[in-house]
Amino acid sequence: MPNVRTLNNAFFNRPTLRVAQEILGKFLVCKKGSTIISAMITEVEAYVGPEDRASHASRGKTPRTEVMFGHAGYWYVYLIYGMHYCVNIVTEQKNYPAAILIRGVEGVSGPGRVTKYFVIDKRFNAKRATHASGLWIEDRGVIIKPRHVRRGKRIGVDYAEKWKDKKWRFYLSK
């Protein structure tokens, strides 16, 4: 593939809402043994800072959320409903908890379905998004025009008071 670039910590160590929009059209890549699975990211949700009531980090640093308070470019993987994993990439500076949930890739919609498709589980939690960890994000040169990026409310965060209305879900229009 011409001009393939693995996204590094510098890409993720920027304002979360900007990264969330720019990650659309990039490729989530997972390597298991000799098998490589990849798909273009088509939908994400942003969780920004300690005040964001929709974010796990709003309750402070815990063993579960510690990775969100760490360096950008690390995976935050957790289990919901006791059965589905969700995968997030940590953004912004250390000690400022922010992350982007990957909600959809081309052909797969829903964060639990994404992790199932890629066979992502807790073993990736707190690991860097690199080839060495087996899970990373690539820029393959796909250009996404701003008019194809849509914003909407985050899904499943009705408990988050005024934060439930933030239009911090970004997705590609069809």
Side-chain angles (χ1 to χ4, degrees):
M1 282 177 263
N3 298 330
V4 173
R5 178 177 64 93
T6 300
L7 300 182
N8 60 24
N9 292 17
F11 178 87
F12 300 110
N13 191 11
R14 300 180 300 138
T16 304
L17 298 179
R18 181 173 174 194
V19 175
Q21 292 172 75
E22 292 179 9
I23 205 170
L24 295 173
K26 306 299 187 266
F27 286 74
L28 184 62
V29 184
C30 187
K31 183 175 182 182
K32 299 277 180 17
S34 62
T35 303
I36 294 180
I37 303 168
S38 68
M40 187 171 69
I41 298 169
T42 58
E43 182 180 4
V44 297
E45 281 181 358
Y47 294 87
V48 186
E51 292 84 26
D52 181 355
R53 301 285 297 179
S55 172
H56 295 162
S58 68
R59 296 166 194 81
K61 187 188 269 188
T62 66
R64 179 185 190 190
T65 64
E66 186 172 10
V67 67
M68 286 185 74
F69 289 83
H71 293 285
Y74 281 73
W75 296 111
Y76 172 42
V77 181
Y78 57 87
L79 191 65
I80 58 168
Y81 310 123
M83 61 193 325
H84 301 292
Y85 287 100
C86 291
V87 63
N88 300 255
I89 188 73
V90 175
T91 56
E92 303 214 25
Q93 296 179 7
K94 185 176 181 182
N95 294 318
Y96 184 78
I100 298 167
L101 170 66
I102 299 176
R103 289 197 56 81
V105 297
E106 200 166 39
V108 182
S109 183
R113 290 185 183 117
V114 168
T115 55
K116 187 174 183 180
Y117 177 77
F118 282 93
V119 195
I120 295 170
D121 57 24
K122 284 284 271 199
R123 72 180 152 207
F124 291 104
N125 188 52
K127 298 221 171 130
R128 283 184 62 190
T130 63
H131 291 258
S133 73
L135 185 62
W136 66 93
I137 298 175
E138 290 179 350
D139 181 346
R140 296 183 179 175
V142 173
I143 305 296
I144 302 296
K145 295 181 179 174
R147 72 175 183 262
H148 292 131
V149 176
R150 300 284 185 257
R151 290 180 83 137
K153 291 181 183 179
R154 296 178 290 184
I155 297 172
V157 295
D158 288 341
Y159 58 85
E161 302 163 359
K162 68 179 182 180
W163 296 91
K164 71 180 169 70
D165 296 322
K166 298 284 184 188
K167 291 189 174 185
W168 288 355
R169 180 170 60 94
F170 301 91
Y171 56 97
L172 296 178
S173 64
K174 298 181 182 189

